[in-house]
Amino acid sequence: MATLVKEPPPQSEVLIRVNSTRGGGSGGGNSTIHPVEVSTAPAPVAYQEITHFKKWVAWLIPCFVIANIVMFIITMYVNNCPKNSVSCVARSLGRFSFQPFKENPLLGPSSITLQKMGALDVSRVIHKHQGWRLLTCNWLHGGVFHILANMLSLLVIGIRLEQEFGFVRVGLLYVISGFGGSLLSALFLQSNISVGASGALFGLLGGMLSELITNWTIYANKVAAFVTLVVIIAINLAVGILPHVDNFAHIGGFATGFLLGFVFLIRPQFGWVRERYAAPGYSRLARSKFKMYQCILWVVSLILLIVGLTVGLVMLLRGVDANDHCSWCHYLSCVPTSRWSCRTEPAYCLSSQIGSQLNMTCSSNGKSSLYMLANPSSSEIQGLCTELCR
């Protein structure tokens, strides 16, 4: 927000006019002084904009939203459900129709299509050196419901942050948080693919929390804001214990954004700003730009962030499964109950083709089914297997 500093007008002065009259005699002349007060109009007030609290125009976050929507449309075009699947939802949409609910309840593409488009597949990251998937997966979504929820949240959270801190810092916060979320997800969930901008979104929430902490002294109603933000974050993380939700991406994105907030979103103190923009002649004190606790948090957070991302990336590229070192951590992503299971093994089926008859048996639950298909594609077989194993 632009804060304006009012400079005091210059002091008005009394002007003295001297009138001289000369007599006609030889005695010379007499000088008479007439003081005249001249009314002076008040000087115009000069204003300066304080750039440290400038209100930015948000344009990057809307561009991110558009990019995600465009990527989803392209993904649905590549998916082409009528050609690659036996049944589709909303077939009237043509190649933009959705996979069956049993295969994808989010109204979206198949897992094979998401893999083609750059979903996070740990085996390909490790064995085929496709580390770029740690970034591209953040721009893909599993379905209409998925992208609607994420993009609405991005608009609500991201625009406010970009207006306050600018597109550079918020853009870096979004991208790096998404990478951190993907990294933690890849270390713990190595059997399934993962897509979505949730890790980056939680990074923005983490940045908001750390920004409130590091700039604590310049806020009013800070306790109420802190409690409200913590409750919102806790509720969103609690939703992550449901099945088919990658809560490790949420946790990793939040932790990364939380540390980045201390680095990117630090503000100078009001006393330092007031003195810097004070009028000439204003007495200045030797004030530091940041408080000591802000500097400590900045240094510690930067070190933790660099070390954490580096160690995590090295562990991933070496094929380390973090579940082997933490037997209870899988409960952070899914808690099994009587109503749902947390089994996330990929679907494997045994199939045999006799003429136009395709016989399939799911290896995980033992279910079998017979389909009438002539020369089915690999995408059709994988889709039928996914439905059969659910």
Side-chain angles (χ1 to χ4, degrees), residues 120-341:
L120 179 57
D121 186 341
V122 178
S123 62
R124 298 192 180 195
V125 172
I126 298 175
H127 303 296
K128 296 186 178 181
H129 308 291
Q130 297 180 358
W132 46 266
R133 291 179 178 271
L134 294 168
L135 292 173
T136 56
C137 66
N138 295 298
W139 303 91
L140 301 173
H141 287 84
V144 174
F145 299 140
H146 190 198
I147 192 171
L148 279 178
N150 278 351
M151 293 304 100
L152 288 175
S153 300
L154 178 57
L155 286 173
V156 172
I157 300 170
I159 287 182
R160 179 260 173 188
L161 278 176
E162 187 177 353
Q163 289 175 339
E164 295 293 329
F165 297 98
F167 68 94
V168 174
R169 287 185 282 183
V170 174
L172 289 173
L173 177 63
Y174 182 89
V175 173
I176 299 175
S177 296
F179 175 79
S182 300
L183 186 58
L184 189 66
S185 173
L187 288 171
F188 283 96
L189 300 179
Q190 301 191 348
S191 58
N192 287 343
I193 65 171
S194 179
V195 294
S198 302
L201 282 171
F202 271 85
L204 296 183
L205 284 174
M208 290 178 65
L209 182 61
S210 56
E211 187 269 331
L212 178 61
I213 294 173
T214 193
N215 301 321
W216 186 262
T217 58
I218 69 174
Y219 279 107
N221 301 323
K222 60 194 78 175
V223 175
F226 179 81
V227 172
T228 302
L229 191 55
V230 168
V231 170
I232 293 174
I233 293 170
I235 292 175
N236 281 275
L237 288 175
V239 174
I241 66 174
L242 297 174
H244 309 297
V245 177
D246 186 357
N247 210 30
F248 283 112
H250 299 171
I251 297 171
F254 174 79
T256 304
F258 183 72
L259 294 176
L260 281 173
F262 291 116
V263 178
F264 286 160
L265 308 184
I266 184 174
R267 286 188 185 274
Q269 295 303 300
F270 272 134
W272 179 87
V273 174
R274 184 172 59 248
E275 290 186 355
R276 178 169 180 176
Y277 290 88
Y282 180 82
S283 60
R284 299 173 183 266
L285 300 176
R287 295 179 183 268
S288 59
K289 185 175 182 180
F290 302 106
K291 288 188 175 294
M292 180 60 68
Y293 79 90
Q294 289 180 299
C295 298
I296 294 174
L297 288 173
W298 192 93
V299 173
V300 172
S301 298
L302 185 61
I303 293 174
L304 290 176
L305 183 67
I306 295 175
V307 172
L309 292 179
T310 303
V311 171
L313 190 59
V314 171
M315 292 174 61
L316 175 62
L317 296 180
R318 290 186 175 182
V320 175
D321 187 347
N323 293 289
D324 296 337
H325 305 278
C326 182
S327 59
W328 55 269
C329 285
H330 62 277
Y331 292 115
L332 294 175
S333 185
C334 183
V335 177
T337 67
S338 58
R339 295 191 175 186
W340 64 69
S341 172

Side-chain angles (χ1 to χ4, degrees), residues 44-55:
V45 180
Y47 291 95
Q48 285 182 291
E49 183 181 37
I50 297 180
T51 56
H52 295 85
F53 298 93
K54 176 183 177 181
K55 196 77 169 180

Side-chain angles (χ1 to χ4, degrees), residues 74-81 84 95 97 99 108-110 113:
I74 294 174
T75 302
M76 293 306 303
Y77 181 85
V78 174
N79 185 64
N80 196 4
C81 181
N84 299 315
R95 65 186 301 149
S97 56
Q99 296 299 120
S110 66
T113 301

